[in-house]
């Protein structure tokens, strides 16, 4: 059972720390094995030179994975990050970022995902991440 975007947004607002919610992430779409979130541009998240902070991008990738796992399972269950590896390819300045997490394997206790982060204006790839989660519930 796939979640709606509205249901996924509720999972986001009910299960994440206030500082993650301060990123302003919204769920664009969800599918059986994926989720797409939007990280809105904010000067507060920019580094010197105007590019979005890598920490904000990594948190967005991590969060998108939780939403993708929740969508695949039909609802939120407790889970925790086991591993995340991120490669940054270009800076994003003055544009929202679209984060797509695609599950590559979902087991009873572990989930694996590939995540792409793209400049929403140009579509250019900004970063790639690989995530591994332990499912606790």
């Amino acid at each position: 059972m796939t979640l709606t975007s509205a249901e996924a947004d509720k999972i986001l607002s009910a299960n994440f720390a206030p500082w993650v919610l301060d990123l302003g992430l919204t769920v664009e779409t969800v599918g059986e094995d994926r989720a797409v979130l939007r990280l809105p541009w904010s000067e507060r998240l920019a580094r010197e030179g105007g590019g979005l902070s890598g920490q904000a991008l990594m948190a967005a990738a991590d969060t998108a994975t939780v939403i993708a796992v929740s969508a695949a399972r039909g609802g939120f269950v407790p889970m925790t990050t086991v591993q995340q590896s991120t490669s940054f390819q270009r800076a994003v300045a003055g544009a929202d970022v679209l984060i797509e997490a695609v599950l590559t394997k979902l087991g009873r206790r572990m989930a694996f995902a590939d995540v792409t982060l793209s400049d929403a204006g140009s579509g250019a790839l900004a970063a790639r991440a690989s995530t591994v989660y332990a499912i606790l519930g």
Side-chain angles (χ1 to χ4, degrees):
M1 173 179 116
T2 302
L3 302 174
T4 66
S5 294
E7 291 168 328
D9 269 329
K10 287 180 184 173
I11 289 172
L12 185 62
S13 65
N15 294 287
F16 287 87
W19 69 268
V20 174
L21 299 178
D22 286 346
L23 294 173
L25 293 164
T26 56
V27 179
E28 295 277 304
T29 61
V30 289
E32 290 183 17
D33 66 345
R34 69 192 61 230
V36 178
L37 277 61
R38 178 179 294 266
L39 174 63
W41 168 255
S42 170
E43 290 285 338
R44 289 185 63 223
L45 301 178
R47 295 181 38 94
E48 296 172 15
L52 277 176
S53 149
Q55 293 95 331
L57 294 171
M58 291 177 73
D62 190 66
T63 304
T65 302
V66 172
I67 299 300
V69 172
S70 297
R73 293 184 56 113
F76 179 80
V77 295
M79 61 187 93
T80 189
T81 310
V82 173
Q83 181 271 336
Q84 179 173 337
S85 175
T86 307
S87 298
F88 299 97
Q89 299 184 13
R90 69 178 296 279
V92 176
D96 292 357
V97 176
L98 293 177
I99 305 99
E100 182 175 25
V102 178
L103 299 178
T104 57
K105 182 174 189 306
L106 177 62
R108 287 183 337 133
R109 294 282 176 213
M110 300 293 288
F112 300 80
D114 288 332
V115 186
T116 57
L117 299 94
S118 303
D119 182 310
S122 69
L125 183 65
R128 288 187 181 275
S130 157
T131 58
V132 180
Y133 271 75
I135 298 169
L136 306 174

